[in-house]
Amino acid sequence: MFKKVLVANRGEIALRVIRACKEIGIQTVAVYSEADRESLHVRFADDDVCIGPAPARDSYLKIPRLIAAAEITGADAIHPGYGFLAENAEFAETCVASNIAFIGPTAEQIRVMGDKAAARAAMTKVGVPIVPGTPGPVEDVDEALGFAKEIGFPVIIKAAAGGGGKGMRVAKDADEFARSFQLARSEALSAFGNGDVYVEKYLTRPRHIEFQILGDKHGNVIHVGERDCSVQRRHQKLIEESPSPAVGPELRAKMGAAAVAGAKAIDYVGAGTIEMLLDEDGSYYFMEMNTRIQVEHPVTEMLYGVDLVKEQIRVAAGDRLSFLELPERRGHVIECRVNAEDPSRNFQPSPGRIDVFHPPGGPGVRLDTHAYAGYRVPPYYDSMIAKVICQGRDRAEALRRMELALESFIIEGVTTTMPFLARVMRNPKFRAGDVDTKFLERETDLFKEPA
Ligand code: ADP
C-alpha cells in the first residue's frame, strides 16, 4: 500500500480523500494556494505545501509544482480529486514518469474518454448506443449543416474536449445553425485550447442517468448502480439521487450492462462514471465517461454502504475490488449541492466570510464540507461550499429529511442556494419524480423568493 498520498485538490474533496487515507493508515500531504491558507484540508493533512498564488492556473493546475511538492514530502502517490487536473492525461503521465502513482486510470484511458468524439467511436465498437450524430469532429459548417439536416433538428454542437457544461450550443433549426456552430467552435477553442466540435441530436426531454463504475488491475469491471442527475441548471447538476424514479430492475440491468461493456472496452481501472441520456420512449444513449471520482459519489456510497474513495486508492495500489456483486440497496438517497450563489440573481457567486455556521444532523444525514464559521469563501474557485446527502427508507422519507436538513442548516454571511433547494424538495412535480434536464427551465417560480 502507499505510504503517503498527496491530494492535488482543495475544498471538500481534499478533505474526503484525506479521511479515506487516514482510515487506511496512509499519511497525507495537502497542497494549497495562497487563498486557501486557512482551509481545513491544510489542517487535517500530515504535511502541507503552498503551491502558488490564488488563480488555479498558477497553483492547482501547475503540474511541475505538484510533482515537486510530492518529491519534497516523499509522497508515493497523488490523488487528483475532481476538476483541476483530474482528467488531464499529461498529469497522469508525468506522475508515472516521476515514479509517483496516479490514483486514477491510465493516461491512455483518460485520453480516449476525454475526447468525446473518440469516446463515441469506442462505444460504437462494442455496441453501446450513442446519441445519433456525426461519427467524428466536423470542421466545415456546410458539411456540419448537412449532418444536422440528416439527424433532424434540434441538434447540439459539442466541444470534443468539453466538460462542465461548457462548449455546448443548441441549434433549433437550419437558420440558427451556422451561428451556433461558429460560437461553439470559438468557445471550445478558448475554453479547452481545441476547437474540434461534433454534432448530435438534441433530445428535448431526457433524463440524465449515470452509472458508477469500478475497475481493478485484475480485469474486474463492475457498476454500482445509477444516479439520476436530471435537476440541472444550464447543463450543470444541482441535485442527484438514487435509485432513479425512472429506472426499474430491468432497465437498470440493461443500462448497467451497457455501462460495464463501455468501461470494459478500454479495460478501465479505478472509479469512473458512464453518463447516459434516457429518452422519454425508454431509449438510452451513452453521452460521456468521466474518468475520476464525481462530486455526487456519496449518493452511491450511502445507498450501497461502500467507500468509493478507498476502493480507488486500493485499486491504484494493485488490490482487487473489495466486492464484485452489487450490494443490497438501503432505501433511497438524495444529494443537494449547496453553493455560495444567489438563485434570484441568476446564480451569481456570493463569496465572502461565513459568520454563522450550524450544520444539519440526525439519522440518515451526511454532510461533506470544508466550510466553518469564520471561513472565507474565496472568489477564485467553484462556489460549492457543501454537499448535503440524505438517506431514507424510501424516496419520500429521503426527500423530507433533505427538506428539514436544508431548513436547519444555518449559514450566514454569504447567500446560498439552500432556500431554493428546499423549494425544489416541496415541488409537486419533483416529488412525483417527474423531472428531466429541462425541469428547472419550466419551473420558473422556484427561483422567486416567497413574499
Ligand atoms: P459536460 O461534459 O460539459 O458535462 P455532457 O456531455 O456531460 O457535458 O452534457 C451535460 C448535460 O448537457 C447533460 O446532462 C444534458 O443535460 C445536456 N445534454 C448533453 N447532450 C445532450 C443531448 N444530445 N440532448 C439533450 N441534452 C443534452
Side-chain angles (χ1 to χ4, degrees):
M1 187 38 71
F2 306 124
K3 291 198 176 61
K4 206 170 190 183
V5 169
L6 179 141
V7 186
N9 217 301
R10 63 180 298 281
E12 67 86 20
I13 194 62
L15 276 179
R16 172 72 188 88
V17 175
I18 290 170
R19 285 196 178 109
C21 289
K22 287 194 174 185
E23 277 186 40
I24 303 177
I26 306 173
Q27 294 231 305
T28 52
V29 183
V31 294
Y32 61 97
S33 74
E34 283 163 11
D36 277 339
R37 235 173 248 289
E38 303 301 315
S39 242
L40 274 191
H41 75 281
V42 181
R43 278 194 243 168
F44 276 72
D46 298 299
D47 252 337
D48 54 76
V49 182
C50 180
I51 48 163
R57 64 171 182 280
D58 300 323
S59 48
Y60 297 106
L61 291 172
K62 277 255 186 257
I63 296 178
R65 294 211 182 141
L66 292 161
I67 301 288
E71 281 171 346
I72 291 163
T73 54
D76 52 353
I78 293 187
H79 193 301
Y82 53 69
F84 296 130
L85 295 169
E87 290 177 293
N88 184 305
E90 192 194 326
F91 183 49
E93 231 157 44
T94 312
C95 289
V96 175
S98 315
N99 249 327
I100 300 163
F102 178 76
I103 302 177
T106 64
E108 188 47 31
Q109 289 162 349
I110 297 175
R111 216 163 255 140
V112 173
M113 289 305 184
D115 182 326
K116 292 189 187 194
R120 282 165 60 84
M123 293 305 107
T124 310
K125 236 180 170 174
V126 292
V128 176
I130 56 170
V131 186
T134 56
V138 274
E139 274 171 34
D140 182 69
V141 62
D142 292 322
E143 190 195 342
L145 179 60
F147 272 121
K149 283 180 176 157
E150 242 171 70
I151 301 163
F153 285 97
V155 297
I156 182 165
I157 305 143
K158 282 190 180 180
K166 285 192 209 94
M168 294 192 291
R169 287 273 163 173
V170 179
K172 285 198 295 295
D173 49 43
D175 293 340
E176 239 180 52
F177 187 81
R179 200 179 118 80
S180 303
F181 186 80
Q182 301 304 358
L183 277 172
R185 275 185 71 94
S186 58
E187 248 174 49
L189 192 64
S190 67
F192 311 108
N194 171 355
D196 280 359
V197 297
Y198 65 97
V199 182
E200 66 180 34
K201 178 142 194 76
Y202 189 65
L203 309 178
T204 43
R205 288 182 84 152
R207 295 180 86 107
H208 174 117
I209 307 285
E210 58 182 37
F211 277 78
Q212 177 64 51
I213 295 290
L214 284 177
D216 65 22
K217 294 178 181 169
H218 304 271
N220 299 303
V221 178
I222 61 165
H223 79 75
V224 199
E226 82 283 6
R227 293 182 290 257
D228 190 323
C229 315
S230 299
V231 180
Q232 304 181 345
R233 159 200 56 123
R234 279 188 259 118
H235 303 312
Q236 287 176 352
K237 300 161 190 167
L238 295 180
I239 298 170
E240 303 97 350
E241 64 180 304
S242 189
S244 165
V247 177
E250 242 173 75
L251 188 57
R252 179 170 305 110
K254 277 202 292 184
M255 292 179 81
V260 168
K264 270 206 166 128
I266 57 163
D267 296 320
Y268 194 76
V269 172
T273 299
I274 298 263
E275 297 193 334
M276 298 197 245
L277 289 176
L278 174 64
D279 208 355
E280 286 163 288
D281 66 1
S283 6
Y284 52 87
Y285 308 97
F286 168 88
M287 189 163 46
E288 68 164 344
M289 180 172 196
N290 291 319
T291 52
R292 52 165 165 84
I293 196 80
Q294 309 255 121
V295 173
E296 60 272 25
H297 76 275
V299 170
T300 304
E301 291 188 327
M302 257 188 137
L303 189 68
Y304 290 101
V306 297
D307 188 318
L308 296 171
V309 180
K310 283 204 284 185
E311 293 294 327
Q312 251 191 323
I313 297 169
R314 292 205 165 112
V315 156
D319 288 3
R320 286 173 187 277
L321 289 173
S322 74
F323 61 96
L324 292 176
E325 296 293 321
L326 194 59
E328 188 112 11
R329 271 204 317 260
R330 304 190 294 193
H332 195 98
V333 177
I334 181 161
E335 172 182 276
C336 282
R337 300 186 186 198
V338 177
N339 293 347
E341 291 173 357
D342 188 346
S344 67
R345 286 193 189 163
N346 202 18
F347 290 88
Q348 185 182 305
S350 157
R353 185 178 187 274
I354 294 177
D355 301 318
V356 179
F357 186 90
H358 287 300
V365 179
R366 167 175 167 177
L367 179 66
D368 281 22
T369 182
H370 58 291
Y372 54 88
Y375 175 67
R376 249 175 217 292
V377 182
Y380 307 101
Y381 316 106
D382 191 273
S383 51
M384 190 175 78
I385 49 172
K387 308 189 298 205
V388 182
I389 308 104
C390 291
Q391 187 255 2
R393 265 171 309 182
D394 50 30
R395 189 169 185 267
E397 189 175 67
L399 261 52
R400 179 70 179 142
R401 279 192 173 151
M402 179 60 82
E403 187 185 345
L404 295 172
L406 292 168
E407 281 168 2
S408 60
F409 191 178
I410 310 293
I411 295 181
E412 282 171 19
V414 300
T415 306
T416 79
T417 47
M418 284 198 289
F420 163 79
L421 294 164
R423 289 199 289 277
V424 177
M425 292 305 123
R426 291 187 286 267
N427 177 284
K429 290 221 173 68
F430 180 76
R431 295 181 77 93
D434 179 16
V435 295
D436 56 75
T437 58
K438 302 290 137 53
F439 167 70
L440 287 184
E441 273 172 43
R442 292 189 300 269
E443 300 291 313
T444 45
D445 279 355
L446 285 169
F447 298 90
K448 293 183 198 133
E449 302 280 343

